[in-house]
Every structure is written in structure tokens, then in C-alpha cells.
Amino acid sequence: MTPRTEYRPQMTVEEFEELERHAPETVRLEFINGKVQVKAVTDGNHDQIIAWLQRLCMQHRPELWLYGDRGMKVESYRKGRARPDGVLAPFGFPKGHGDWSETAGVLMAVEVTSYDSDTHQRDRVEKPDAYAAAGIPVYLLIDRDDASVVVFNQPENGRYRHEEKLPFGATLKLPEPVDFALDTEPLKEFVD
């Protein structure tokens, strides 16, 4: 008996962008590792965490802005497409970019975990590699599942060389080029 080979055609970036353009507003699509992924629609606590972080970024780095849900070209050779919950970049960064921005100028990508079955694979495994491959210096993961914050930095060869995980309530030093301390005590109120 001959083993069966599964054929899985690869979608191109152009095909994904066309699909994403026609998706309903209630669906958020990403294209990572050659796969289309549906990203959960955010809840109120998720949105409040991003607003809290946006305010802190403005206080510490007023020349920057935390852009929410900005389409980014990620992974090696920009074959992936992601919509981080936040992208810290100079104010005016996305001007003239269209739907998808290159990562040049981005200091940090931010994700807040969602309560869905794909969050582990997407936010903890695939996104760090995609953001590192794209050269984003810092990736901040606010993990509501275990009430922790994880900062990844020092991207090299498609991976972050350094990772630090602390519980909600700790003060986390966001490394260069972000370069400010993040008191995560307020995040405790968002633990379900």
C-alpha cells in the first residue's frame, strides 16, 4: 500500500491581501508561517490594557505613538502579515503606507493574549519568531492567561536571543530602543 501524501497549496501574500481586503470588519486575519489565521476580536479589558499602555508610552516617549492593529509585513523576506495589538513607532510612522507597513522604524510590537484556542501557538510561539525575523527590536507580550508580562529582545537570525517573564505587579524594564520602566501593578485588575 502506498502512503497517502497530503497536498496543501500555499497561499501567496498577494492572495492573502486580497482575501483580507474582502473580509468582514468583524474578522481580523493574519498570515503567518504560510497559514491564514483568524485573530479573535478583542474584548473590553483587552482594549483597556492597550489604552493603558498607550498612555504610558506617551508619558515616557512623547515622540512615539502606540498604533493599534497596524498591518505589518513580518517574517523573513516579508512573507507574513500580522496585525499586532500595538506597534510603538515614531508619530506619523504609517503615513502613506497603505494597509501593510514595513517594520523599519518600529521599536516594539505588543500583543495581549485573547481567550481563544489559538493564543498559545499564535502569541507565544509564532509571533515572537515573526517579529524577530522582521527585525522588530522588542516584543512585549501581556499574557492574561497566567498574569504575566514577557519581554523579548535582541533579535538575531529570526529569533529573539533574550526573554524575560515577570508576574503582573512587577516592574519591567523595557530594553533599548524603548528604554523605560513599566510598572505592571495596574494589570492585576484585568485578571479574570
Side-chain angles (χ1 to χ4, degrees), residues 48-179:
Q48 191 59 38
I49 290 169
I50 292 297
W52 165 80
L53 187 57
Q54 189 174 51
R55 181 185 303 166
L56 288 174
C57 290
M58 286 176 51
Q59 291 170 351
H60 292 281
R61 300 290 306 272
E63 76 281 13
L64 304 175
W65 189 257
L66 186 68
Y67 293 94
D69 288 322
R70 177 78 216 139
M72 299 300 301
K73 297 177 181 179
V74 298
E75 297 180 313
S76 299
Y77 308 107
R78 308 306 189 250
K79 292 180 182 176
R81 300 290 183 267
R83 289 196 182 276
D85 293 323
V87 174
L88 186 65
F91 186 78
F93 162 76
K95 185 177 179 183
H97 287 195
D99 292 336
W100 304 98
S101 294
E102 296 286 342
T103 58
V106 172
L107 282 69
M108 179 172 70
V110 177
E111 296 288 353
V112 177
T113 58
S114 300
Y115 299 116
D116 63 24
S117 62
D118 294 339
T119 201
H120 172 73
Q121 185 66 25
R122 184 180 58 247
D123 293 338
R124 298 181 191 105
V125 177
E126 294 172 348
K127 293 277 183 92
D129 290 348
Y131 296 153
I136 297 175
V138 178
Y139 169 42
L140 177 65
L141 173 62
I142 299 173
D143 195 329
R144 298 188 292 170
D145 291 331
D146 70 355
S148 69
V149 288
V150 186
V151 64
F152 300 82
N153 68 316
Q154 300 175 12
E156 185 177 290
N157 298 323
R159 300 247 189 242
Y160 286 109
R161 292 179 30 225
H162 184 260
E163 173 183 334
E164 182 177 10
K165 181 176 182 175
L166 295 170
F168 284 1
T171 298
L172 175 69
K173 171 77 167 103
L174 293 171
E176 291 284 342
V178 180
D179 196 30

Side-chain angles (χ1 to χ4, degrees), residues 168-190:
F168 284 1
T171 298
L172 175 69
K173 171 77 167 103
L174 293 171
E176 291 284 342
V178 180
D179 196 30
F180 68 84
L182 182 64
D183 176 7
T184 66
E185 182 70 27
L187 293 174
K188 287 182 173 181
E189 74 179 86
F190 297 108

